[in-house]
Every structure is written in structure tokens, then in C-alpha cells.
Amino acid sequence: MKKLLLLLSVLVMVMGFSLAVHASPEEDRLVFRKFYEKRFPNVATEDFINGAYSIDKAGRENWEAIEEFPPYEPFMERGREMWEKPFANGKGYKECFPDGPGVAHKYPHWDKKQQMVMTLPLAINQCREANGEKALKYKKGSINDILSYMAFESRGQITNVVVPKNDSSALDAYEQGKKFYYTRRGQLNFSCAHCHLQNAGMNLRAEMLGPALGHTTHWPTYRSKWGTVGTLHRRFTGCNKQVRAKPFKAQGEEYRNLEYFLTYMSNGLPLNGPGARK
Amino acid sequence: MRKKSLQLVSVTRVISVLLACMLLVTFSVSAGPAAKDQSKAVSKDVQDGKKVAFSRKKGNCLACHMMAGGEAPGNIAPPLIVMKSRFPDIKKLRAQIWDAVVRNPESSMPPFGRHRIISEKEIDQVTAYIWSL
Amino acid sequence: MLIKYKLGILLLMIAFASGQVLAADQGKAAAKPQAAEKKAVAEDPRAAAANKIILAADAARKKAGSVGGEWRDTGKMLKKAKAAVKSGAYDKAIKLAEKAGRQGELGYTQATSQQKLQLPSYVTVLYVNK
């Protein structure tokens, strides 16, 4: 009997493995979601956009108090000024983003012409450079101002990443992001999934590990540890470093593909940036 | 209620300290001089091993495991208690610390030996310490 | 009267102390050209040995990086090793470089042993029981 059970479970695993390897992004997303809904049956799926605070009661009270006087507000204000102010050539962000500042939900997307994943920070810098302005840095500094403003203007929009079927390079980029997420890295030998899936809800020392569903809805984010607002790729950098892996370049191919996969996993969730975190 | 439990804790503490003293006394009485030297070396390892285990830069075992005397432990992994009964063979304990992935390919415990996070000597020390728990 | 006496002693003490410092400085200055001379006359064979190990370790680091497997501190270790060679601490340099080289190899092995996507069992199982 025991042997039979073992055989059966091995069979299920093997089946699961081959299914999972050939899964479509949409199947991946449903599994990703189900994983957290099973682990945290009392959390409403939409609440995962609040990160670790969706499952950490004590942390949540603290955070709600912080959100009463949002620390990212001055950044948003400066961002609004950047948005309004024309470049030296007389043009401005408005020409690059004709649909207005509330377009964060359109990123990341597959850029067929450039054959790469286009993110909002990258689009901002391409706009600047096309108009003779200097590119902004991708982790710290004033890119976070304009991103904060655009994130705020995008609040309530729904995450909706598309992996176009008619371009296999798009699927490749997605698959590479997925592979990145499940690959062990660094001297400490962790994958992202070790902390944010396998051990979600557990404490690493005193810190609760948050679910990855909703990880992409609230960027840029004010972090008390940083004392400022920072980008998603700055966060990726930190999570790579803490396992003693050499981080990748912000807005390089690896992190953009990772963002593509990770944001796809949150499809259907509303945007709530800029965020505030510990 | 709180007071009572505190009292209870302190009473059990006193008793356990007494018991430990008695054990120590009987142990040192029964042990010969050679055994004494050996046990000194072992206890030195245990002491050094505790430092390695608690240090954030070295073992940082507390990030995941509860351990006696450690503050703010994580709860990712089972508490490290009664290790002699869980690992009667100390070699297996050492192997677990050296590379946890061998026993569980999906383990989130860092491979302290395989990835040279701490030295072989430090692994011996940590093993001695953990085995004493 | 007493104060003048005390001041005098103080001055004497200061003079003595600064004399000592100066003498020590001169000693150092005298020693320095000697060390430089040594380097110029013949490169210490241990420096060449250390540099060789550093070069190999840097290659191992780059190889790990080429497959996305470089570790955080390997580059820093090599920088320190190079600085150690410069200051003549060859043993330290060799030790650091050897450590960095092993990190490069381990990082490379780590990355290449996961060339195929390996989803964890707690995820794959969910693809079946939908």
C-alpha cells in the first residue's frame, strides 16, 4: 500500500514536472496564484498587493500609520513638476506619453521593434535621450520622482502583461524571467522562490517573508531602510546581494525579463504605487 | 498569572542548573585525567561553535532555527534541540550542515561546507556545539 | 617661581618626545628606499606567483559571470589580493586569490548545474490538481 502511494506520488510529480515545463504563461499564473491562495486562505487575493502586510498583522498597523502621511508625497510632487516642465528643445514627456502620466499598467511590455522587454523607466530614458536630455540613473535619484508621479496617476489600473503569441522571442524573454526566478544563486544558494514561495509567511530572523503575488504593483517604493524612494530593480539588486550573489545591471536584460515574468504573475491585480515599506 | 508562570520558570531554571551541576560533578569525578583533557578540547569546540552558529556573518543559524539562548530566531526550520537523539551519528549531523541539499534537494539551508561559507574547522566546531544541544 | 619650573619641565618633555618621533621618522625614511631598491633590483618571485594565481582566479570569476553565476564578494577579494601584492603581503594575497578562484569555480558549477529549469515540487504538484 505504502509503495503504491509512493509510486503514485512519484507519478504525479513526474506528470507535474512535464506539465509545468511546457506550461503557458497563463497556466503559470494560475498556479502561482493558487499557491498563495492555498497557503493563505484567509487573505483576499487583492490584498496581496500590500506585500508582507497582507499576512503580517503587527507590521500592518505600523504601515497603515505610515500611509496616513505618505513619505513618497514630496517625490510625487517633484515628479509632477518634471512631467509639466518642457525639455530644452521645447518638447516634453507629454509628447512621449500621449495617453498621459497614468500609463504604468502598460509596462512592462514586449517591444516588437526593439525585440526586447520595455519597462517604464527605460521608456522614460528613451524619451529623454530622443530629446537630447541626459538619461537618469535607474536605481536612485530623480527617476524615482517621475516614476512616483506616474505610479500615483496609474493607481487602480489593472496589471495586464501580454506575451504576444506571434513573436517567439517574447515567450523566450518570459521563460528566461521564469528561469531566473527559480534558479539558485549566490554563496548562500537561494532562488527567489526559496524566500517568496517556499518560505512565504515564515520569519527570516525577525523579518516576515512576503508573497510574490503583488510584488510588482507598487513601484517605486519608499523604503524606511533606504530613507528614500527606490525602483523595483534596486529591490532586485538588494535581494540578490543578500544571498551573496553579484547583482545584475538595473534595466539590463536579466532584470527586465525577470520583471516581465513577475509582473505577468500579478496580472489581474490593481496598481497601488508608489508604495511604502520597511 | 504572569507572575506565577515567571516563578515557575525560575524554579525550573534553578532545578535544571542544579541538575547540570550534579551531572558535571559526577562526570568529572568518573573521568580519568586523559578523558578530562579530551573533554576540555571538546568543550572548547562547543564554545567556539556557539560563536560561529550565532554570528550573522558566519553560521547565522538563528536566521532560520530556534536555538537555546538565541534572540529573535526565525522559524523557517525546525528548532535545534535534543540533537543527540535526532542525530545519534554525529557524522550525519556534520553532513547536514556541510550540505543540506544532499538530503533535501529543495532545502533552503545554505550549504555551509560545499560553498565554503565557513571553514572545515568551523564546521567541526558548530557540529560539536549543535550536538551538545 | 614654581610655575616657571613646571613649565620648564613640560617644555623639556615635549622636546624629548618630538625628538623621539623625529628619530623614528628618520628611521622609517631610511628603511623605505631600501625596500624600493629591493623591488627594483629583482621582482620578488612570490609576487609573480601571487599575480599568477590572481590572474587565474579572475578568469574563474569571469567564467562564472558568463553564465550568470558570479558571487557578490569575489571581485572584492581579488581587489584586496592585488592591493596585498602591492604592499608586499604575498601570503595574504595568495590566500585571498585562492579563495576567490574557488568561489569562481563554485559559482560556475552552481549555474551550469541548473541549466534546465527545475521547478520545485510544491509548484509542479499544482499543475496537476488544477
Side-chain angles (χ1 to χ4, degrees):
Chain A
M1 189 58 206
K2 231 179 172 176
K3 267 192 188 152
L4 203 76
L5 269 176
L6 191 76
L7 196 75
L8 217 70
S9 60
V10 166
L11 222 77
V12 165
M13 295 275 297
V14 171
M15 254 169 62
F17 181 72
S18 56
L19 279 174
V21 165
H22 303 291
S24 68
E26 198 49 18
E27 283 171 303
D28 289 342
R29 184 182 73 86
L30 291 174
V31 159
F32 209 78
R33 209 178 238 246
K34 189 157 77 179
F35 176 84
Y36 293 109
E37 288 170 350
K38 271 195 163 166
R39 179 165 291 196
F40 307 108
N42 298 323
V43 176
T45 306
E46 285 217 345
D47 205 34
F48 285 122
I49 63 176
N50 298 318
Y53 307 128
S54 63
I55 52 174
D56 177 8
K57 282 233 168 67
R60 183 160 190 135
E61 277 173 29
N62 209 339
W63 168 67
E64 278 170 352
I66 288 173
E67 281 279 358
E68 302 244 334
F69 304 97
Y72 44 77
E73 244 167 24
F75 297 83
M76 277 162 42
E77 276 313 310
R78 285 200 296 273
R80 183 197 302 277
E81 283 161 26
M82 279 170 85
W83 176 269
E84 299 290 345
K85 194 176 158 202
F87 299 133
N89 69 357
K91 292 193 180 157
Y93 291 109
K94 289 178 191 174
E95 277 81 16
C96 300
F97 300 96
D99 295 334
V103 291
H105 60 295
K106 297 191 174 167
Y107 297 85
H109 66 243
W110 180 250
D111 185 321
K112 199 169 164 86
K113 220 159 104 200
Q114 300 186 58
Q115 284 288 298
M116 65 193 274
V117 172
M118 181 55 59
T119 63
L120 184 52
L122 200 60
I124 287 173
N125 267 347
Q126 288 196 349
C127 168
R128 292 177 62 89
E129 287 182 317
N131 287 292
E133 299 285 318
K134 256 186 25 199
L136 303 173
K137 283 200 199 141
Y138 283 123
K139 288 191 289 193
K140 307 175 183 179
S142 62
I143 198 158
N144 290 291
D145 297 344
I146 183 100
L147 283 171
S148 293
Y149 172 59
M150 293 179 85
F152 187 75
E153 292 293 317
S154 311
R155 277 193 178 179
Q157 300 283 2
I158 305 297
T159 309
N160 182 26
V161 176
V162 178
V163 180
K165 291 222 168 70
N166 56 7
D167 192 340
S168 68
S169 314
L171 187 61
D172 279 353
Y174 168 89
E175 294 289 351
Q176 270 167 32
K178 176 176 168 187
K179 165 93 192 310
F180 191 108
Y181 205 79
Y182 291 103
T183 298
R184 288 183 184 272
R185 253 170 245 286
Q187 190 178 31
L188 301 186
N189 210 32
F190 285 90
S191 71
C192 312
H194 275 108
C195 284
H196 293 300
L197 283 151
Q198 191 164 339
N199 292 307
M202 306 288 203
N203 281 350
L204 188 68
R205 285 268 178 181
E207 184 143 36
M208 178 156 321
L209 292 165
L213 192 58
H215 254 176
T216 53
T217 59
H218 54 278
W219 296 92
T221 289
Y222 182 94
R223 249 190 115 195
S224 315
K225 191 181 152 198
W226 295 336
T228 186
V229 173
T231 59
L232 176 61
H233 289 202
R234 183 172 178 195
R235 194 42 154 132
F236 288 169
T237 304
C239 277
N240 272 157
K241 275 192 189 158
Q242 72 174 318
V243 301
R244 300 186 192 164
K246 187 183 173 202
F248 294 83
K249 247 176 79 184
Q251 296 301 330
E253 190 178 12
E254 292 90 353
Y255 280 174
R256 276 186 291 107
N257 291 346
L258 174 63
E259 179 178 342
Y260 196 40
F261 161 76
L262 198 57
T263 314
Y264 193 103
M265 292 300 101
S266 288
N267 266 0
L269 293 178
L271 296 188
N272 58 337
R277 297 284 188 271
K278 249 198 319 215
Chain B
M1 183 58 211
R2 222 181 119 80
K3 237 185 190 167
K4 241 190 197 160
S5 59
L6 268 179
Q7 263 173 4
L8 210 77
V9 168
S10 52
V11 166
T12 44
R13 261 204 201 144
V14 168
I15 292 178
S16 54
V17 167
L18 275 176
L19 270 175
C21 286
M22 274 161 68
L23 265 174
L24 265 179
V25 167
T26 46
F27 183 69
S28 41
V29 164
S30 61
K36 225 183 199 166
D37 273 3
Q38 213 181 7
S39 79
K40 239 190 210 159
V42 167
S43 76
K44 175 85 172 61
D45 261 7
V46 168
Q47 273 170 22
D48 291 343
K50 181 172 181 175
K51 275 186 214 143
V52 176
F54 278 43
S55 147
R56 276 175 197 255
K57 286 233 165 102
K58 300 236 170 194
N60 199 13
C61 317
L62 279 166
C64 303
H65 293 277
M66 197 200 68
M67 284 158 75
E71 269 172 35
N75 60 0
I76 285 172
L80 297 178
I81 44 169
V82 291
M83 293 316 285
K84 282 202 185 79
S85 68
R86 279 157 85 186
F87 288 85
D89 182 358
I90 193 169
K91 280 201 204 104
K92 287 207 173 123
L93 177 61
R94 192 184 192 281
Q96 167 75 26
I97 298 170
W98 199 84
D99 185 5
V101 169
V102 172
R103 211 174 60 153
N104 171 15
E106 289 171 6
S107 181
S108 33
M109 175 159 154
F112 289 97
R114 180 162 56 89
H115 276 189
R116 295 171 181 259
I117 300 165
I118 54 180
S119 70
E120 293 295 319
K121 190 172 160 205
E122 285 167 334
I123 290 198
D124 286 337
Q125 293 166 341
V126 171
T127 307
Y129 170 61
I130 301 292
W131 214 47
S132 79
L133 294 175
Chain C
M1 193 54 212
L2 196 70
I3 286 182
K4 264 192 190 161
Y5 178 68
K6 273 191 180 164
L7 260 175
I9 287 191
L10 202 75
L11 272 174
L12 264 175
M13 273 167 73
I14 290 173
F16 182 71
S18 52
Q20 289 284 78
V21 170
L22 273 177
D25 264 8
Q26 266 170 0
K28 252 192 224 156
K32 248 185 200 158
Q34 249 181 4
E37 230 168 78
K38 227 192 217 163
K39 237 187 196 166
V41 168
E43 175 97 330
D44 192 317
R46 286 179 307 161
N51 280 330
K52 206 172 148 193
I53 298 172
I54 289 174
L55 226 64
D58 204 38
R61 177 187 69 80
K62 285 195 184 123
K63 195 171 160 198
S66 73
V67 288
E70 188 176 336
W71 291 359
R72 186 188 64 190
D73 302 330
T74 318
K76 278 180 229 160
M77 270 176 210
L78 285 170
K79 262 194 199 143
K80 274 191 197 158
K82 282 178 198 159
V85 171
K86 272 200 187 128
S87 66
Y90 304 116
D91 288 344
K92 186 180 162 198
I94 289 173
K95 224 174 163 180
L96 277 164
E98 281 175 344
K99 208 168 156 190
R102 274 192 299 266
Q103 286 210 341
E105 283 160 23
L106 286 165
Y108 180 79
T109 307
Q110 179 186 43
T112 47
S113 69
Q114 302 176 87
Q115 251 159 359
K116 273 207 187 128
L117 170 69
Q118 293 159 332
L119 285 179
S121 57
Y122 55 83
V123 170
T124 51
V125 77
L126 295 178
Y127 282 86
V128 183
N129 332 309
K130 253 188 241 165

